[in-house]
Amino acid sequence: MAAAFVGGAALGAAFGEGFAVLHDTVKDVVSKARMFKPILKRLESTLDRLAPTVNEITQLSEQLDLPKVETENLVENMEKGEKLVRKCLKIRWWNYCFKVYYSHKLEALDKEIVRFCQVDLQVHSTRNGLRPLVNVNINLQKVDSVVDRQRVLCAVRDPPDFTVGLDMPMKELKTLLLKEEVQLLLLTAPGGCGKTTLVQMLCQDDQIRGMFEDNILFVNVSKTPNVKVIVQNLLNYKDVQPNFQIQTDEDAINQLSQLLNHLRPNPILLILDDVWLGSESLPEKFKFDLPNYKILVTSRTAFPRLKFTYHLKPLDDVDAMTLFRRSLHDENSYIPAEEDAEKIVRGCAGFPLVIKVIGGSLRRQHEVVWHSRLMKWSDGQFYFSSDTELLAHLQKSLEFSDDKVIIKECFMDLGSFPEDQRIPAAALIDMWAELYKLDEDGIHAIANLQELNIRNLASLVMARNDASEVKSYYNEDFVTQHDILRELAMHQSSQESIGQRSKLIINISGNNLPKWWTEQKQQLINARLLSISTDELFSSSWCNIQGSKVEVLVLNFHTKNYTLPEFVEKMDKLKVLIINNYGFFHSKISNFQMLGSLPNLKRIRLEKVSISSLCETLVTLKSLKKISLFMCNIGKAFENCTIQVSDAFPNLTEVNIDYCNDLEELPVGLCDIVHLKKINITNCHKLFALPKEIGKLVNLEVLRLRSCTDLSELPDSIRSLHKLSILDISDCLSIMKLPKHIGELCNLIELNMKGCLRLRTQFPESIMDLEQLKLVVCDEERARLWEPIKEFLTELKVEVAEKEINLNWLSK
C-alpha cells in the first residue's frame, strides 16, 4: 500500500514509478493473457499515449503543485492494478465470474488514469504557468475529437441495452462463422427481425473480440452500394492513406487488398450489413485468399449463390411477450389483461421491430384506446412474407390522437434524409419551425422527437450531460432510424399522386431521374416539403419542376461539385434550404446566386460545403434570419466576398458554426450585422481570436464558444454587449482569464465555463456587478473561486459539472 508522500518531488517520483511498473507489466502480459487481451490492449494503448505526459510530470514534479489526495490514490490503485494484471495470467477460460470481475477492474483503472492526466492534473498544472502540460491535454483532445464521420461509420455500435431471444442464435452464428471452411457467411431474415442487433452482440462476444481484436470492420451497404465509398470509409477507419486516388471500383478493390495485407497477420472480420436484392455480387468482390479473413453479410434476401447461410427466426411466443411488456414499461401505462396482450403479440409474428413499435404506440394509452385498437387489430396470426406486408402492419402504430397528429407529420419528415445517416436535430428544428409554426428555440421540436423515441419510431440521441445547460441548444443532438421505419415514413408520404403530395421525396441513382419527372417539361407539384437525394454519379442534369408551394427544400448529395437546380429560383415560398454533402470532400456549390430571387428564404443549413465557392457569387438575402455551417471549409472566405457580409445578410439574427476546422478568426464582417442575437461557434479548434469589433453587436443575446480549444481570450469589447444573457466558454482550454470589464454585461444570466482548465486567476473585481447572473456551470476548482462572490450575488447558483471522460466526442 502506498505510503503518505511529502513534497511535490516525492509525489511525482512515486507517480512516475508506479506508472512505469504498470506500463511494463501490461506490455509483458498482454500477449499471454488471451482472455483479457482486448481490455489489456486498450489499457496498453492508453498508457502508451500518456507516457510522454507522465515523463513530463516526473521531470517537473518539484515545480508542480500536484493534487495530493488524487495522486496518492492513483499511485495506490496503480500498485493494485499491477498485481491485478499479473493475476490475469492465472484465470482459466471457464471461470466466467472472475473474468467479468477482473475486466471491470481493469476498465476502471484505465478510466482513472485518463481522468487524472486529462482533468485532475491539468487543473493543478497551471498554478506556476506550466503550459506544456496543458498543451499535451489540448492535443490529446484534438486528436480524439477530430470530426471524421467515415471512421464512426465503420465502427460496430453497441447493441441495445435490452435484447431477448438472441443468445442462442448468437452462439449458433458464432459457431458457424468460426468454422475453418467458412470465409463468407450470410445472415438472413426479413426486415425488422434483429439481424444488425445480432451482429452487434456477436462483436461484443469475448471470443470474437479476443480473436479479431481491432480488426472488426463494419460497413453499412444499404440500397445503393458504392464500392469506392465503402473502401474509402474502411481506409479512413484504419487511418490508412491510399497510395493513389480511388477513381474506379478496380482501384478500390486494389486498395482494399493492400489494407487487408496491412492488417495481417491478425485475423480480420469484415461485416457487410444490409445488402439488398440486386447487390448479391457485392460480397464476392471483397473476397481475397487470405488466412483468417472472414466476411459476414446480412440481408433480407437469402441469396442462393452464397453457400453458407444462417436463417434468423422470429421470436417465439415467450420472448415476444417479454419484449412487448418491456416496450410498454412505464409507470403511467395501462396494464392489459394477459389475453389482450397475447392477441396483439400474435399479430406481430415475432418481429422485434414490430413488437417494439406497436408497444410504443400503446404506451401511456388509456384502457379505452387499448380496446379500440384490439378491435382494429383482431386479425390474428400474420406472417410477413414481404416488406410490403410488414409496412402495412407497422402502419397500425401510426395512430395518433387529434392533438398529436403533428407527430405523424414529423415522423414522415424523417424520410427526407438518406438511409443510415444521422439526422441533425437542428435541421429538423429549422424545418418544423416553418412547416408547423413550432417555436424557433426547438423545445417543441425536441418534444416531438422524444415522443417518436418513446414510440420506438426513431432514436433520439441527446449529447449534453449537464441538466443545467441551456434547453434551447440542440446542435449536437441527432436522430437515427431503422431503414424499415424510414421506408414506412416514405410509404406514408407517397399515398397520393406525385402532384398532390404534401411531402415529395425523390431518390435518384446515377442520372436516372424518375419517369414521371422526365415525361413532362413542366412537372407541377403541390408539395410543401421537397427532398432530393443523389449519389456520386449524378451529373447535376436536372429536369424542370414547378414547386411554387415548396417551403422546405432538402438536397442530399455526394459529389465534389454540385449545381443547384434552376427551378429553385422560382420557389417564391421557400423558407428553409438544407444542403447536405455526404461525400468525402468539401463540395463547391454553383448557382448559389439564384437564392437572391427568393423573397421568403429565412434559414440556410450547409454541411461539408466550401464557403469560398459561395462567396464568389454571394448575393443579398434580405429575409435570411439564420445560417448554419457544419463541417464547412471557411478559412478567410468571407474576406473575399463579392459584397460585404453585412450587405448579404442584413437581417441575420443567428449564426451557427460547428466543426469548421479551418476557422481561425471570426469574420469581422459579421460584427456589422446589428440584428444578430445568437452566435454559436462550437468545436472549431483553430479559432484563436474574436475580433474587437464584436462589441458592435449590441443586440447579441447568446454567445456560445464551446470547445474552441485554441481560443486564448475574450476581447474587452464584449463589455458593450449589454443584452447578452448567455455566455458559454465551456471546454475552451486556453482561456486564462475573464475580461476586466465583464461586469458591464448587465443582463448576463448564465455563464458556462466548464472545462476551462487554465482559468485559475482570481476573477476581475467587476464580476461583482453581474447582478442578473443566476447560474454558473463550472468544475470544482473554478467553483471555489466563486464562493466569496456568492456572498454578494445572493441569487447565484454555482453548479459543478460532472467530469467527463470522453476521448471521442463524435461517437456520442
Side-chain angles (χ1 to χ4, degrees), residues 216-232:
I216 299 179
L217 313 174
F218 185 93
V219 175
N220 263 314
V221 177
S222 301
K223 195 170 185 177
T224 55
N226 183 287
V227 174
K228 299 188 292 292
V229 172
I230 291 173
V231 172
Q232 186 67 62

Side-chain angles (χ1 to χ4, degrees), residues 530-553:
L530 174 61
S531 169
I532 305 176
S533 298
T534 56
D535 59 20
E536 67 285 338
L537 299 177
F538 183 64
S539 62
S540 293
S541 178
W542 300 99
C543 291
N544 199 15
I545 278 183
Q546 291 186 42
S548 59
K549 295 184 179 180
V550 173
E551 296 178 43
V552 175
L553 176 61

Side-chain angles (χ1 to χ4, degrees), residues 174-404:
K174 179 176 71 172
T175 299
L176 185 56
L177 178 68
L178 296 183
K179 286 186 176 180
E180 185 176 352
E181 66 271 24
V182 176
Q183 184 191 18
L184 180 57
L185 174 61
L186 171 66
L187 166 60
T188 184
C193 263
K195 299 182 295 295
T196 301
T197 299
L198 179 59
V199 169
Q200 291 167 341
M201 290 178 62
L202 177 74
C203 293
Q204 290 282 325
D205 178 76
D206 292 330
Q207 186 177 357
I208 294 296
R209 290 173 65 180
M211 178 177 180
F212 295 101
E213 298 179 352
D214 294 330
N215 283 347
I216 299 179
L217 313 174
F218 185 93
V219 175
N220 263 314
V221 177
S222 301
K223 195 170 185 177
T224 55
N226 183 287
V227 174
K228 299 188 292 292
V229 172
I230 291 173
V231 172
Q232 186 67 62
N233 282 341
L234 292 171
L235 291 169
N236 287 348
Y237 178 62
K238 300 305 291 185
D239 281 330
V240 174
Q241 294 295 323
N243 296 330
F244 49 84
Q245 187 173 352
I246 298 176
Q247 297 181 332
T248 65
D249 285 0
E250 184 179 357
D251 291 343
I253 296 302
N254 289 335
Q255 287 290 346
L256 178 61
S257 175
Q258 294 181 35
L259 171 64
L260 296 177
N261 278 291
H262 172 74
L263 299 179
R264 291 181 59 210
N266 295 330
I268 303 168
L269 174 60
L270 173 63
I271 299 165
L272 302 176
D273 189 45
D274 197 19
V275 177
W276 283 58
L277 182 64
S279 301
E280 53 266 39
S281 62
L282 182 71
E284 302 285 348
K285 296 180 180 180
F286 290 83
K287 286 183 66 175
F288 296 92
D289 187 17
L290 297 173
N292 296 319
Y293 169 52
K294 294 181 179 289
I295 303 174
L296 177 59
V297 177
T298 75
S299 178
R300 303 179 197 176
T301 305
F303 302 125
R305 66 190 297 168
L306 301 186
K307 181 178 178 182
F308 298 100
T309 301
Y310 181 84
H311 293 270
L312 177 61
K313 298 177 182 178
L315 298 177
D316 60 29
D317 291 344
V318 175
D319 289 333
M321 181 60 73
T322 300
L323 182 60
F324 180 66
R325 291 203 173 279
R326 173 79 178 197
S327 68
L328 286 174
H329 182 65
D330 188 284
E331 60 182 14
N332 297 317
S333 287
Y334 166 69
I335 306 299
E338 192 73 17
E339 181 181 355
D340 291 343
E342 287 176 355
K343 287 180 182 179
I344 292 176
V345 170
R346 280 198 301 270
C348 296
F351 279 48
L353 179 63
V354 179
I355 294 169
K356 290 171 66 178
V357 172
I358 296 293
S361 72
L362 290 169
R363 187 185 299 174
R364 299 179 183 173
Q365 298 292 354
H366 191 273
E367 181 180 359
V368 175
V369 177
W370 270 82
H371 290 297
S372 173
R373 301 275 176 91
L374 276 170
M375 292 177 66
K376 294 180 180 180
W377 299 352
S378 57
D379 51 0
Q381 182 69 27
F382 184 66
Y383 181 74
F384 311 123
S385 59
S386 69
D387 286 348
T388 302
E389 291 179 351
L390 175 59
L391 291 175
H393 208 65
L394 281 171
Q395 275 185 257
K396 298 175 180 179
S397 65
L398 297 180
E399 296 184 13
F400 295 89
S401 58
D402 291 342
D403 62 332
K404 290 191 175 182

Side-chain angles (χ1 to χ4, degrees), residues 100 147 203 224 406 598 620 776-777:
V100 172
V147 178
C203 293
T224 55
I406 191 175
L598 304 178
T620 299
V776 171
V777 181

